[in-house]
Amino acid sequence: MKTDQLGIPVAKVTFSLHDNDKKLIEFGKNKVIEVMQAAGAEEVVQEARYAHLVGAARMGNDPETSVVDKFGRSHDIANLFICDGSVMPTQGSANPGLTIQALAARAADYLISQGATVFNSDKRNLECPPVRRNLRRDATWGHGAPRLK
């Protein structure tokens, strides 16, 4: 058993893909290439991994130790918002997809609440936007659109 510098046992984690996993990954990679080429991409580069990439643009209050504020707005460039996994400092034990979606939705709510001033001013209003109760678009009632009660 391996231990760290304090004598605490270090976890051993192993992982392997089954044939179906490999087929699904290959299908997904091919579909991404197809979509990108249909959108006009002339060159498509893929990362040789199958996990969410996180980190490199840490979220926080202090511009000395973070890249973006709690709404994903860059500390350095007022009209730059980062809405992906890079704002999370590390990968947890579960898929971060829903967290990434929630952070992007939060940034969108902030942008909606701030209006054009967010792009025309360096001043930061860090108040949380109001909760939007009606999250549906017109003509979507009863068709799977999310709603808060």
Side-chain angles (χ1 to χ4, degrees), residues 133-136 144-148:
R133 300 260 177 229
N134 181 0
L135 300 178
R136 68 179 178 91
R147 294 176 293 282
L148 293 177

Side-chain angles (χ1 to χ4, degrees), residues 14 23 30 32-33 40 45 47 71 73 75 101 125-126 132 140 143-144 149:
T14 61
K23 290 176 186 176
N30 291 336
V32 167
I33 291 171
V45 178
E47 188 71 28
F71 298 112
R73 187 179 190 181
H75 292 301
Q101 290 175 29
N125 175 356
L126 294 176
R132 293 185 299 132
T140 60
H143 299 290
K149 293 184 179 185

Side-chain angles (χ1 to χ4, degrees), residues 16-92:
S16 62
L17 295 173
H18 295 276
D19 287 339
N20 193 53
D21 298 321
K22 294 173 185 175
K23 290 176 186 176
L24 288 170
I25 290 167
E26 191 62 28
F27 175 83
K29 286 171 40 179
N30 291 336
K31 186 56 70 176
V32 167
I33 291 171
E34 180 184 328
V35 169
M36 298 292 278
Q37 289 174 338
E42 294 179 10
E43 181 180 349
V44 179
V45 178
Q46 292 187 341
E47 188 71 28
R49 61 180 290 188
Y50 43 82
H52 289 277
L53 300 176
V54 299
R58 181 185 294 244
M59 180 186 298
N61 296 327
D62 184 358
E64 295 296 318
T65 59
S66 61
V67 177
V68 298
D69 66 20
K70 65 184 181 179
F71 298 112
R73 187 179 190 181
S74 165
H75 292 301
D76 294 331
I77 303 170
N79 66 351
L80 172 64
F81 285 77
I82 300 175
C83 300
D84 64 6
S86 63
V87 301
M88 296 187 287
T90 187
Q91 170 74 30

